[in-house]
Amino acid sequence: MCGINIILSSQPGPVGLAAVQRMNDAIAHRGPDDTGIFSGGKVQHVFLGHRRLSIIDLTAAGHQPMTSSDDRFVIVYNGEIYNFCDLRLDLSRAMLGSSVQPYGFTTETDTEVILAAYKAWGTECVKRLDGMFAFAIWDKQEETLFIARDRFGKKPLYYWASDEMMIFSSEIRGILASGLVKPVLNSSALCEYFQYQTVYGQDTLIRNIRLLEAGTCAVIKDGKMKGWKYHETPSSHRTDLQSLTLHQIRKMIHEGLSRAVEKRLVSDVPFGAFLSGGIDSSAIVGLMSRMHTGKVKTFSVVFREQEFSEQQYADRVASKFNTDHTNIVLSVQDFLNTIPDALAAMDHPGGDGPNTYVVAGATRKAGIKMALSGIGGDELFAGYDVFKRIHKMRRWWWLNLLPPDLRKMLALPANKFRQTVKTEKIASFLQAGTDIRELYRVSRQVFSDDQVRKLVQTNCGWEIRRILKDIPELPDNFLLSQLSLNEMHTYLHSVLLRDTDVMSMAHGLEVRAPFLDPSLVDLILGIRDEWKFPHSPKKLLTDSLGDLLPAEVIHRKKMGFTLPWEHWMRKELYTLCDSKIRSLSQRGFIGKITPVELWERFLKKDPSVTWSRLWHLVVLEDWMQRHAVNE
């Protein structure tokens, strides 16, 4: 796992070389083990920068930028390819019935396998890569740059373009560190940020800095970029699963998740697993313990204050699987002390992040460079309340018969007597009717459409609506899979995966996600609702695992990092929050309702203003100040 930087310019000279060096320095946390730069080109001038976190082949042979054996192609790469050994075997010998010639490998890295695959199969090589990745390959002969990003967007690749230059980086701060891009606020994304605590899709909060879409690759030649999707969202359910029994489906899930875990255990450095004591992380640890020869190293961040601690569940799982377990014990004050560092680590503002920062930092300090995570389990197996809620609301089919204005009138009584976040959400659901896209969109809102228009005075670009519209509609008995697709294209991509990447790489820790194995995802999305409905938490998953998990883990209340943010923001974090909220309220884009008004209502314990409606605004102002973002 690493960090990559690229500058492609029509202008020669030392400017690009100095800029890419600054970019490498800015993302040094992503790759503390090694650094390198390549420059070349006659018509188009390319500068490739790399920061290395050594996971596979720890020798100097893994240095990047790496050049192909024929000296034609140069690569910078961030990620892990899990099937690189199989691809290496294919590419190191003449392949029958094909024009592919044997490749003479000189390293044990997956990086060189990508180079060989590109030489053999060209841009089609991405379809053969099983892993998480973002990379760029420079063709010295054709003076073209090929870039690609993995299917689910686990590894980021941001870019900025002008008529004379294109800049790419693993992080926004890398592009800004070049000194060639001014940090100007992308005001059209503000509404979405206020409403959802993030910016969805390819947009960012910096004008003209965009994110290469997941499952996408592109070729840049003569300053022109031509991109295409190499991985598409399933447009229909899998008909081959419909004739199988539930027993057969469960067996396929067990085998599929086991394979996904096994392939992610390839590493030349000490590794372990996050263990919260919940279903997803416990399942990963249980399967790891069955296939790993030694004791699995597991890590839990637990709190001295019992009301916030999950230690009893993590200890039960660690004991069952006889893991080499470490409880990293923190006090609530310890967690509070990390918040400034977590804010500094944020590459793009958001409503979450400190939790991941704490877990990743503690794991890395324990000597672990790679860890497996249960991320993705909730999205696949209907682990969030929204799955059951929207599934039940399909019974309200009669709402669609009513005119929108009448639905709005029905929603008014929900807010009439005592306005709370819950009553506001009910009103929004009533107005949405039974439209799945609208119901899902409303479920993820922090503020309603009307509230956002009063908070922000700018033209709003609603990327989430475009994303949801582009997701293919599945048959009625695959509603849960439809919601899974919604989650994966929005919240998972733009919140969970982004936070996991940035906050883990802030500590030089690689995180792998078995639940997001493409084959497993394809399988779960093809299973109809009657077998997937979570009558008990993630029932299909737990039933598929048999007796792997302790009963108390399966039936425990979902907790996560349930911390006293309400209290902190009124007490320990008051000075930070108050100064940021008041500063944000002076910004030119603030509308009729100011954050200060919400803040003062929050301090008076107004039930309609929760901490989650304010924290991401604190983060926004901190991020704008830290990166000197101009309006």
Side-chain angles (χ1 to χ4, degrees), residues 368-388:
I368 298 299
K369 291 180 75 173
M370 185 275 282
L372 270 64
S373 165
I375 188 172
D378 283 321
E379 286 74 19
L380 281 181
F381 291 96
Y384 298 129
D385 288 341
V386 66
F387 283 88
K388 296 177 72 171

Short mmCIF file of all heavy atoms in Angstrom, two decimals, residues 368-388:
data_model
loop_
_atom_site.label_atom_id
_atom_site.label_comp_id
_atom_site.label_asym_id
_atom_site.label_seq_id
_atom_site.Cartn_x
_atom_site.Cartn_y
_atom_site.Cartn_z
N ILE A 368 1.89 -3.83 13.65
CA ILE A 368 1.15 -4.44 12.55
C ILE A 368 1.11 -3.46 11.37
O ILE A 368 0.79 -2.29 11.53
CB ILE A 368 -0.29 -4.80 12.98
CG1 ILE A 368 -0.24 -5.84 14.10
CG2 ILE A 368 -1.09 -5.32 11.80
CD1 ILE A 368 0.42 -7.15 13.73
N LYS A 369 1.44 -3.96 10.16
CA LYS A 369 1.41 -3.11 8.97
C LYS A 369 0.23 -3.42 8.05
O LYS A 369 -0.05 -2.67 7.12
CB LYS A 369 2.71 -3.26 8.17
CG LYS A 369 3.93 -2.69 8.86
CD LYS A 369 5.19 -2.87 8.03
CE LYS A 369 5.24 -1.90 6.87
NZ LYS A 369 6.55 -1.97 6.16
N MET A 370 -0.45 -4.54 8.29
CA MET A 370 -1.60 -4.91 7.48
C MET A 370 -2.66 -5.56 8.36
O MET A 370 -2.33 -6.39 9.21
CB MET A 370 -1.19 -5.87 6.35
CG MET A 370 -2.31 -6.21 5.37
SD MET A 370 -3.38 -7.58 5.91
CE MET A 370 -2.35 -8.99 5.51
N ALA A 371 -3.91 -5.17 8.18
CA ALA A 371 -4.99 -5.72 8.99
C ALA A 371 -6.22 -5.96 8.14
O ALA A 371 -6.48 -5.23 7.17
CB ALA A 371 -5.33 -4.78 10.15
N LEU A 372 -6.99 -6.99 8.49
CA LEU A 372 -8.26 -7.27 7.83
C LEU A 372 -9.38 -6.60 8.61
O LEU A 372 -9.33 -6.49 9.83
CB LEU A 372 -8.51 -8.77 7.74
CG LEU A 372 -7.97 -9.47 6.47
CD1 LEU A 372 -6.46 -9.39 6.40
CD2 LEU A 372 -8.42 -10.93 6.43
N SER A 373 -10.40 -6.17 7.88
CA SER A 373 -11.52 -5.44 8.47
C SER A 373 -12.84 -6.04 8.01
O SER A 373 -12.92 -6.64 6.92
CB SER A 373 -11.43 -3.96 8.06
OG SER A 373 -12.64 -3.29 8.30
N GLY A 374 -13.88 -5.83 8.80
CA GLY A 374 -15.21 -6.32 8.44
C GLY A 374 -16.03 -5.31 7.65
O GLY A 374 -17.24 -5.51 7.47
N ILE A 375 -15.40 -4.25 7.13
CA ILE A 375 -16.12 -3.25 6.37
C ILE A 375 -16.83 -3.88 5.17
O ILE A 375 -16.28 -4.75 4.50
CB ILE A 375 -15.16 -2.13 5.91
CG1 ILE A 375 -15.92 -0.96 5.28
CG2 ILE A 375 -14.12 -2.66 4.93
CD1 ILE A 375 -15.03 0.24 5.00
N GLY A 376 -18.06 -3.47 4.92
CA GLY A 376 -18.84 -4.01 3.81
C GLY A 376 -19.89 -5.02 4.22
O GLY A 376 -20.85 -5.27 3.48
N GLY A 377 -19.75 -5.60 5.42
CA GLY A 377 -20.71 -6.61 5.85
C GLY A 377 -22.11 -6.06 6.04
O GLY A 377 -23.10 -6.70 5.66
N ASP A 378 -22.22 -4.87 6.61
CA ASP A 378 -23.53 -4.25 6.81
C ASP A 378 -24.21 -3.95 5.49
O ASP A 378 -25.43 -4.12 5.34
CB ASP A 378 -23.39 -2.96 7.61
CG ASP A 378 -23.16 -3.20 9.10
OD1 ASP A 378 -23.80 -4.12 9.63
OD2 ASP A 378 -22.36 -2.48 9.70
N GLU A 379 -23.45 -3.47 4.52
CA GLU A 379 -24.02 -3.12 3.22
C GLU A 379 -24.51 -4.34 2.47
O GLU A 379 -25.53 -4.29 1.77
CB GLU A 379 -22.96 -2.38 2.38
CG GLU A 379 -22.68 -0.96 2.82
CD GLU A 379 -21.85 -0.88 4.10
OE1 GLU A 379 -21.19 -1.89 4.47
OE2 GLU A 379 -21.85 0.18 4.74
N LEU A 380 -23.82 -5.45 2.58
CA LEU A 380 -24.21 -6.66 1.84
C LEU A 380 -25.33 -7.44 2.50
O LEU A 380 -26.21 -7.98 1.83
CB LEU A 380 -22.99 -7.58 1.69
CG LEU A 380 -21.98 -7.24 0.60
CD1 LEU A 380 -20.87 -8.29 0.59
CD2 LEU A 380 -22.63 -7.15 -0.76
N PHE A 381 -25.31 -7.51 3.83
CA PHE A 381 -26.24 -8.38 4.54
C PHE A 381 -27.31 -7.61 5.32
O PHE A 381 -27.82 -8.09 6.33
CB PHE A 381 -25.46 -9.31 5.48
CG PHE A 381 -24.65 -10.34 4.75
CD1 PHE A 381 -23.30 -10.12 4.49
CD2 PHE A 381 -25.23 -11.52 4.29
CE1 PHE A 381 -22.54 -11.05 3.81
CE2 PHE A 381 -24.48 -12.46 3.60
CZ PHE A 381 -23.12 -12.23 3.35
N ALA A 382 -27.66 -6.41 4.84
CA ALA A 382 -28.76 -5.62 5.40
C ALA A 382 -28.59 -5.38 6.90
O ALA A 382 -29.50 -5.60 7.71
CB ALA A 382 -30.10 -6.31 5.12
N GLY A 383 -27.40 -4.89 7.25
CA GLY A 383 -27.09 -4.69 8.66
C GLY A 383 -27.56 -3.37 9.24
O GLY A 383 -27.52 -3.18 10.45
N TYR A 384 -27.98 -2.44 8.37
CA TYR A 384 -28.45 -1.14 8.86
C TYR A 384 -29.97 -1.15 9.01
O TYR A 384 -30.68 -1.86 8.29
CB TYR A 384 -28.05 -0.03 7.90
CG TYR A 384 -26.57 0.16 7.71
CD1 TYR A 384 -26.02 0.21 6.43
CD2 TYR A 384 -25.71 0.29 8.79
CE1 TYR A 384 -24.65 0.39 6.23
CE2 TYR A 384 -24.35 0.47 8.62
CZ TYR A 384 -23.83 0.52 7.33
OH TYR A 384 -22.48 0.70 7.15
N ASP A 385 -30.46 -0.31 9.90
CA ASP A 385 -31.92 -0.21 10.13
C ASP A 385 -32.66 0.21 8.87
O ASP A 385 -33.83 -0.15 8.68
CB ASP A 385 -32.21 0.79 11.25
CG ASP A 385 -31.82 0.26 12.62
OD1 ASP A 385 -31.68 -0.96 12.77
OD2 ASP A 385 -31.66 1.08 13.55
N VAL A 386 -32.00 0.98 8.01
CA VAL A 386 -32.67 1.48 6.82
C VAL A 386 -33.18 0.36 5.93
O VAL A 386 -34.20 0.50 5.25
CB VAL A 386 -31.73 2.42 6.02
CG1 VAL A 386 -30.54 1.66 5.45
CG2 VAL A 386 -32.48 3.14 4.91
N PHE A 387 -32.52 -0.78 5.94
CA PHE A 387 -32.96 -1.91 5.11
C PHE A 387 -34.34 -2.38 5.55
O PHE A 387 -35.25 -2.56 4.72
CB PHE A 387 -31.95 -3.06 5.20
CG PHE A 387 -30.70 -2.86 4.41
CD1 PHE A 387 -29.61 -2.22 4.96
CD2 PHE A 387 -30.60 -3.30 3.10
CE1 PHE A 387 -28.44 -2.03 4.25
CE2 PHE A 387 -29.45 -3.12 2.37
CZ PHE A 387 -28.36 -2.47 2.94
N LYS A 388 -34.52 -2.61 6.83
CA LYS A 388 -35.81 -3.08 7.33
C LYS A 388 -36.87 -2.00 7.22
O LYS A 388 -38.03 -2.27 6.90
CB LYS A 388 -35.65 -3.54 8.78
CG LYS A 388 -34.74 -4.75 8.95
CD LYS A 388 -34.55 -5.12 10.42
CE LYS A 388 -35.79 -5.76 10.99
NZ LYS A 388 -35.54 -6.32 12.35
#
